[in-house]
Every structure is written in structure tokens, then in C-alpha cells.
Amino acid sequence: MNSSAVQPDAAVPVVILCVDDEPNILSSLQRLLRRQGYQVLSAQSGADGLAILEQQPVDLVISDMRMPQMDGARFLEQVRQRWPDTTRVLLTGYADVESTMAAINKGEIYRYIAKPWDDNDVILLVKHVLERQALEREKRRLEVLTQQQNEELKTLNASLEAKVQERTRELQLALQGVQRSNEQLRKNFLTSVSIFSNLMELRAGSIGGHSRRVAEIARKLASRMGLLKDDLQDVVLAALLHDIGKIGLPDSVLDKAEPALKNDELVQLMRHPLIAETALMPLDQLKVAATLIRSHHEHFDGSGYPERLSGTAIPLGARILLLANDYDAVQHGHKLSSPLSQAQAYEFIVASSGKHYDPAVVEAFKALFGGNRPSAQAVEEPAARTPKPGVVRPRSMITRDEAYADTPSHEEAELELTSKQLRPGMVLSKGVITREGLLLLFRDDVLDDKLIAQVIKFEKQEKYPLTFWVKEHARWGAT
């Protein structure tokens, strides 16, 4: 079958009836149309043609005009009356305008073909006829479908208001459920980030606690620079996870300061921002943080890595993270050959303003110290001067490691307690940190019986006491 033949349904062949009293004409039409894949029927008179139509459906009738007993006009008129969906075409060999007009008026023919015909014209005409039939059938189908849908819409509209009210109640209940669980989901997310951070701290060995300290410095800097809440959170998340790309590094790289690394080791180290970004990007809530981590070793003067970005081409959060990271790293012997004191670290940062660090971030950093260089006494504050539990400790007595611990954003008195002094309802003013630098509880966590029992169990297992700082309004729980 010729693939170019247009058929209403590929499973049902197109049927064409040719009516002519001349056998040679019928044979020519049959050969021409069958080559196109059509089923061709033939009749030598109008009466024979009507008999065939009574036996089976026909898509197209091609009838000669001049035939004995019943001419083409009368024959096609009866076809129109009895089978209106069958398309009618007149075949005429005479320039008889009156006969053609009669066929048009009585039989409502679609087209006429003049003898002798051109085969291509006939084939094209048949294709047009079948395409037109297919469009008409589709139009009728769509009209029926539209009517059915209109009836269905009428039925739906009759009860639409009740359904809308019912659906509204369902949505309200669902929204209430979301609102109840939203805060818990947020806390679970932050807890997961904390767990990742803790796992990195366990892997980090000698630099344990680094991510937590960097996160708090970065938080203070971002807050000082007026970052919005969401942007500030992205900075803190990036800080907590900024070294996650180092998890796969060998101990020989992690245990060395950067100046002591060999070339191949340095290459491994410099890949960790990209590894971290790749690991975190699939998580929608960490996509921005992943971008900040990628750029947190870029220097303001363009000397950093991995892309040698400079100036404001580096995301602001990454510029903040770089300073916070380096400030902690130089004090713990990770970035330089030997560790610096807090005062020396301060000078190191300030001296690199405009080179490694954004001057605006450096100014915010200096403001954290009131614009003054930290004193050596504050850095070396001995543990023996720590007040007894239950006594409000002056700010001036906070040691170096606690300088950027979780503290309230405003001046608020706080109590230092032991686990035995904790009571349900107390609110932590600082996160609870283990000796290994792991974060157990967040600032602003509200204590309950379960949490208190867990920390007491932890102390028994690890065989050392923890320190708990609670806000002053929790004083009623102290004993």
C-alpha cells in the first residue's frame, strides 16, 4: 500500500466506487486507484452502483455523467439523499455546462473530473477528498465530545460549591499539619547539618572544633554586615560544612600545615572546595551554601583558588567565610608553620586587608573587638579563673576558645550550671560542646526531662562533666 494514501483509519481500507458504462474507463480508474492502496469497486450503471452502496459503506463515488437509463446527476442525487456522508465526484467528457450544473445542484458533488484526465490530478483530488472526510469526522467527534463534557460540567457545577468547601477544609487541615511540623523539620535539618559537621570534626583530628568556631565567627561577621536572615543562615551552614570536601583526604595531608605540604598534597587540598560543592549541590537547602564553599578560598586580590576570582566577583558570604576560616586556622597551626596567638591572628587578618580579605569584611572583623587589638592576657586567660557553677560570669573573663562560642546577640545575664542543676524549661544561652569539639545541643534549645537524662547519661559514659549555660530567666531552675 502506498504510504502517501490518506486514510481515515489505517486498519480500515478506503473504499472507492467507480460508476461508468464504458469498461475501459472503469479499468483505467481501477488500475490508477489500486496502485495507491485503495479498495476499488466498479459498476456499469447507476442502478448497479446503488445496489453496491446498499451492500457496504463507500467513502467516495466517482460517477460518469453520460450513462443510459440513469445519468450521473440523477445517480449522485440519490447517493446524496441516501448516503450523505459519501463524497461525490462527477466524471464528464462533455463541455455540457447544464449537465454539470444539474449534478452540482442535485447531487451536490464535491468536484468534477474532465475526460481525458491527468492521473496526478485524480490522485491529488482523491487525497483531498479523504483528508476532508477525516477532518469532518474529527469535527463531529469533537462536537460529540464537547457536548458530553458540557453535560459533565453541568453536573459538576451543580455540586461544585460543596466540593470546594470540602476541599478547602481538607487543605486547611493539611496546612495546620504542615505548620505543626515545619519547625520540627527545620530543627531536624539543622541537626543533620550539625551531625555532618561533627563527623568532619571527628575526621579532622588535631583541628577538632574548627568548623564550629568558624561558623560562629562567620555568623557574627555576617550579622555585623547586615545580611538578611536567609543569607546569614546560608553563611553559617557553609561555615559548618566548609571542610566536608576534606573527608576523603589522607591523614598525611590533614595533619600538616599548608606550608609543609608537598606539591601533590597541595593539589589534593585545593580540590576540596569543588568536592564539597559537588557533594552538597543535590540538596536544595544547601545549594547556596555549596556555592559559598566553592569560593571560600578565593582571595580579594585574585590570588586564591579554585577560579582565581577577585573583588566582588567572589560572593560576599564566601569572603566572610574566608576570613573566619583563616582567623581560626592560623591560631591552631593549620594554615601557617606555627600557631599564632589571638592578638597575632588579629594582626595577620588586618595586615592582609585588600589582599586576601575584603576590606569591608575586615572592618566588620575589627568592630567585633571594638577596633582594638586583643590583649595577650585575654588570650591566655587560665582556666583557674573560671567562676564556680551557678555564678554569673563577667564577659571579660571569657577565654579565647569561648570568645566566639554560641552567645546571645544582646547583653543578657546567664548562668553556668552542672547537669544536676538543670531543670525542664531552662533555655540554653550557648551550645553544649564536648571536649572533642562536638556540638551536642544548640543555643536556644529548651530543656526537658528527656534531654536532661540524655546529657547525664553522656557524662557517665564519657566520664567527664559538661558545662551548661542558661539564660537568666531560667534562674528558677537553679538549686
Side-chain angles (χ1 to χ4, degrees):
M1 181 180 291
N2 191 322
S3 61
S4 64
V6 178
Q7 298 182 8
D9 188 337
V12 179
V14 173
V15 180
I16 301 175
L17 172 61
C18 298
V19 182
D20 199 304
D21 60 338
E22 298 183 41
N24 61 322
I25 298 295
L26 290 178
S27 297
S28 297
L29 287 173
Q30 287 177 326
R31 286 194 302 271
L32 174 62
L33 296 175
R34 283 173 178 169
R35 285 200 300 267
Q36 304 304 311
Y38 305 126
Q39 179 180 346
V40 182
L41 306 176
S42 63
Q44 292 185 335
S45 68
D48 291 344
L50 295 175
I52 291 175
L53 286 165
E54 291 174 350
Q55 297 296 320
Q56 71 175 90
V58 172
D59 298 293
L60 170 64
V61 171
I62 301 175
S63 174
D64 185 26
M65 181 63 195
R66 295 289 183 174
M67 294 185 297
Q69 298 179 354
M70 182 187 295
D71 64 12
R74 291 177 56 201
F75 168 68
L76 294 176
E77 180 183 9
Q78 292 197 37
V79 173
R80 177 186 65 80
Q81 293 173 351
R82 300 173 63 181
W83 299 280
D85 292 336
T86 298
T87 304
R88 299 162 296 283
V89 173
L90 180 67
L91 184 65
T92 178
Y94 302 92
D96 187 347
V97 176
E98 291 184 3
S99 298
T100 303
M101 291 299 297
I104 293 174
N105 293 329
K106 296 179 181 180
E108 296 182 2
I109 64 172
Y110 176 67
R111 295 283 174 82
Y112 72 88
I113 301 172
K115 298 178 184 178
W117 63 78
D118 182 280
D119 287 352
N120 290 330
D121 290 343
V122 173
I123 292 171
L124 185 60
L125 173 61
V126 172
K127 290 180 64 175
H128 288 169
V129 167
L130 298 175
E131 289 173 353
R132 176 172 171 269
Q133 288 181 336
L135 289 174
E136 290 177 347
R137 279 192 293 271
E138 180 64 12
K139 176 176 175 292
R140 289 194 295 271
R141 186 188 70 81
L142 292 176
E143 288 174 347
V144 171
L145 178 61
T146 300
Q147 182 63 30
Q148 291 174 346
Q149 291 176 336
N150 287 338
E151 294 298 325
E152 292 174 358
L153 284 175
K154 289 180 182 178
T155 303
L156 288 174
N157 287 335
S159 60
L160 181 60
E161 183 177 354
K163 290 183 178 181
V164 169
Q165 292 177 350
E166 180 181 357
R167 183 57 178 160
T168 300
R169 286 194 296 270
E170 293 175 355
L171 290 174
Q172 288 174 341
L173 291 174
L175 179 60
Q176 291 172 4
V178 170
Q179 291 173 338
R180 285 194 299 268
S181 62
N182 183 58
E183 183 59 28
Q184 184 61 44
L185 289 173
R186 173 184 169 276
K187 188 170 182 179
N188 288 345
F189 168 70
L190 295 177
T191 300
S192 298
V193 172
S194 177
I195 291 172
F196 291 146
S197 179
N198 286 346
L199 290 174
M200 288 189 301
E201 301 293 2
L202 290 174
R203 177 72 177 86
S206 60
I207 58 170
H210 171 70
S211 295
R212 174 182 57 81
R213 294 189 297 270
V214 171
E216 191 55 30
I217 298 171
R219 182 182 68 80
K220 290 177 180 292
L221 288 173
S223 179
R224 175 77 59 174
M225 298 186 73
L227 268 68
L228 299 177
K229 180 180 178 181
D230 289 345
D231 296 330
L232 190 149
Q233 177 172 292
D234 287 329
V235 171
V236 173
L237 292 174
L240 287 170
L241 300 172
H242 73 282
D243 277 340
I244 196 170
K246 293 181 179 180
I247 287 180
L249 294 179
D251 292 340
S252 60
V253 175
L254 290 178
D255 292 340
K256 292 180 183 178
E258 289 185 19
L261 293 174
K262 300 176 182 178
N263 286 341
D264 60 330
E265 293 174 331
L266 187 59
V267 169
Q268 291 183 66
L269 179 67
M270 292 173 67
R271 292 184 64 248
H272 82 269
L274 299 176
I275 295 173
E277 181 193 36
T278 301
L280 298 177
M281 265 298 177
L283 300 173
D284 288 340
Q285 291 176 292
L286 293 176
K287 283 186 176 179
V288 176
T291 302
L292 300 184
I293 293 173
R294 176 189 179 92
S295 301
H296 83 279
H297 279 296
E298 300 286 2
H299 293 166
F300 199 72
D301 62 1
S303 62
Y305 62 88
E307 298 175 287
R308 301 185 72 84
L309 301 178
S310 63
T312 56
I314 308 169
L316 176 57
R319 285 176 262 156
I320 292 172
L321 183 53
L322 170 67
L323 188 150
N325 178 59
D326 286 0
Y327 178 67
D328 186 76
V330 297
Q331 294 182 70
H332 292 82
H334 185 56
K335 185 174 181 63
L336 303 178
S337 299
S338 58
L340 303 182
S341 67
Q342 187 183 27
Q344 292 170 330
Y346 176 91
E347 296 296 344
F348 176 89
I349 297 296
V350 173
S352 297
S353 178
K355 299 175 183 177
H356 288 183
Y357 312 114
D358 181 351
V361 181
V362 173
E363 289 303 312
F365 171 74
K366 291 163 64 176
L368 295 180
F369 296 89
N372 300 316
R373 180 177 184 271
S375 65
Q377 183 180 7
V379 174
E380 301 299 332
E381 188 70 35
R385 292 183 59 185
T386 301
K388 295 180 180 180
V391 179
V392 178
R393 181 169 60 168
R395 298 281 176 175
S396 61
M397 296 180 65
I398 297 177
T399 62
R400 181 185 69 184
D401 283 345
E402 295 168 314
Y404 292 99
D406 289 295
T407 55
S409 58
H410 55 84
E411 288 298 323
E412 179 182 10
E414 51 189 349
L415 301 173
E416 182 184 10
L417 305 177
T418 66
S419 60
K420 293 182 180 179
Q421 294 174 301
L422 299 178
R423 296 293 182 271
M426 290 183 173
V427 180
L428 295 176
S429 61
K430 296 182 183 179
V432 178
I433 311 299
T434 70
R435 287 180 179 176
E436 295 77 21
L438 303 183
L439 182 62
L440 289 183
L441 297 174
F442 288 98
R443 185 183 73 243
D444 293 329
D445 274 353
V446 180
L447 299 178
D448 55 24
D449 290 329
K450 183 178 179 180
L451 281 178
I452 294 172
Q454 287 177 339
V455 296
I456 291 175
K457 181 180 179 181
F458 178 87
E459 288 180 331
K460 290 180 179 179
Q461 290 176 340
E462 299 300 322
K463 298 181 180 179
Y464 66 80
L466 296 169
T467 300
F468 302 87
W469 286 88
V470 300
K471 297 181 180 180
E472 185 180 24
H473 67 257
R475 184 187 297 275
W476 67 78
T479 58

